Amino acid sequence: SQQGEEDPQALSIQEGENATMNCSYKTSINNLQWYRQNSGRGLVHLILIRSNEREKHSGRLRVTLDTSKKSSSLLITASRAADTASYFCATDGDFNKFYFGSGTKLNVKP
Amino acid sequence: EAGVAQSPRYKIIEKRQSVAFWCNPISGHATLYWYQQILGQGPKLLIQFQNNGVVDDSQLPKDRFSAERLKGVDSTLKIQPAKLEDSAVYLCASSSGLAGGETQYFGPGTRLLVL
């Protein structure tokens, strides 16, 4: 399976701290994306990183990609209570077909 | 820009009954996806359409699940007959095309409970 796997499964931090989530996948990819899902809601796209990129930033988000290790990390800096959600990585191969990981559940305590 | 619409939001049925979900993607989006998300897991792709053609349905349990996208716009996903293990959230998503790395826009999902 090409499905990504996130680590840790759950993470609890205090507001203001940084949160780091990791994603590992099994086969070569074209792109890797990160999505956020608030409880009971649909998924929201956060950031995309292409296979020829190593790092990307968007606001408080920083994503890295290491294709040699087949892994990616998502860093959320200065976390807020509103960042509490599940975070999923999604890898895509042919035909824009996505494989989602099992997610990291982040809890940011105020 | 209106987002992806799904209905109903919630559905409770008994096993062996049938159920249908509806999705209206973002206007102009060629690609439409149906995902199944079981509690505590990530979304699993069931079927992917480009316009009204099926790109991938390799993970769709075809003995009980069917989907169509008439006229390449909205889509319906049907389960007949339902099993207890079909209890999940069914997510619809759309993207503008088949180019690599396109963002998928998700609807709010339909939460199905099979008793």
Side-chain angles (χ1 to χ4, degrees):
Chain A
S1 165
Q2 191 174 349
Q3 189 172 33
E5 293 295 331
E6 286 89 345
D7 171 62
Q9 290 186 333
L11 181 61
S12 185
I13 59 174
Q14 293 291 140
E15 208 166 26
E17 294 181 338
N18 296 340
T20 300
M21 289 157 265
N22 302 296
C23 168
S24 59
Y25 55 93
K26 296 180 180 177
T27 63
S28 60
I29 60 171
N30 297 320
N31 307 279
L32 186 145
Q33 302 188 28
W34 285 90
Y35 286 80
R36 183 187 74 226
Q37 184 176 38
N38 291 90
S39 180
R41 310 280 290 275
L43 282 80
V44 174
H45 178 259
L46 294 176
I47 195 166
L48 175 152
I49 186 165
R50 301 195 184 280
S51 59
N52 61 354
E53 296 177 311
R54 292 297 167 257
E55 188 171 311
K56 204 158 182 182
H57 297 255
S58 176
R60 294 185 296 113
L61 306 180
R62 172 178 169 255
V63 168
T64 62
L65 179 64
D66 187 335
T67 53
S68 66
K69 295 181 179 178
K70 293 186 171 57
S71 67
S72 173
S73 67
L74 171 67
L75 168 68
I76 304 174
T77 59
S79 62
R80 306 167 182 167
D83 294 328
T84 294
S86 291
Y87 291 82
F88 296 90
C89 67
T91 55
D92 80 321
D94 296 333
F95 303 108
N96 211 29
K97 178 176 158 181
F98 285 80
Y99 296 91
F100 283 84
S102 51
T104 291
K105 186 171 283 191
L106 174 66
N107 180 36
V108 181
K109 294 176 282 187
Chain B
E1 178 183 76
V4 176
Q6 289 188 249
S7 67
R9 292 295 310 277
Y10 304 92
K11 190 75 177 179
I12 301 174
I13 61 173
E14 295 190 349
K15 61 183 179 184
R16 290 188 290 272
Q17 286 187 322
S18 62
V19 64
F21 312 127
W22 174 82
C23 172
N24 190 26
I26 291 173
S27 177
H29 277 192
T31 305
L32 185 147
Y33 310 79
W34 282 103
Y35 290 90
Q36 179 193 59
Q37 186 176 24
I38 293 171
L39 186 65
Q41 298 182 18
K44 182 181 88 170
L45 179 67
L46 293 177
I47 189 167
Q48 176 182 345
F49 292 95
Q50 188 192 18
N51 297 314
N52 59 350
V54 175
V55 174
D56 179 52
D57 62 357
S58 57
Q59 298 192 98
L60 185 75
K62 298 180 187 65
D63 58 333
R64 298 184 300 107
F65 286 65
S66 64
E68 60 182 10
R69 190 184 184 198
L70 299 176
K71 300 180 182 177
V73 182
D74 55 354
S75 174
T76 55
L77 176 70
K78 296 179 182 177
I79 308 175
Q80 183 179 13
K83 292 185 176 181
L84 297 177
E85 59 260 36
D86 298 332
S87 293
V89 176
Y90 291 84
L91 296 164
C92 178
S94 69
S95 67
S96 58
L98 262 189
E102 295 193 355
T103 297
Q104 293 186 45
Y105 296 87
F106 283 81
T110 295
R111 191 175 298 271
L112 173 68
L113 179 59
V114 182
L115 301 175

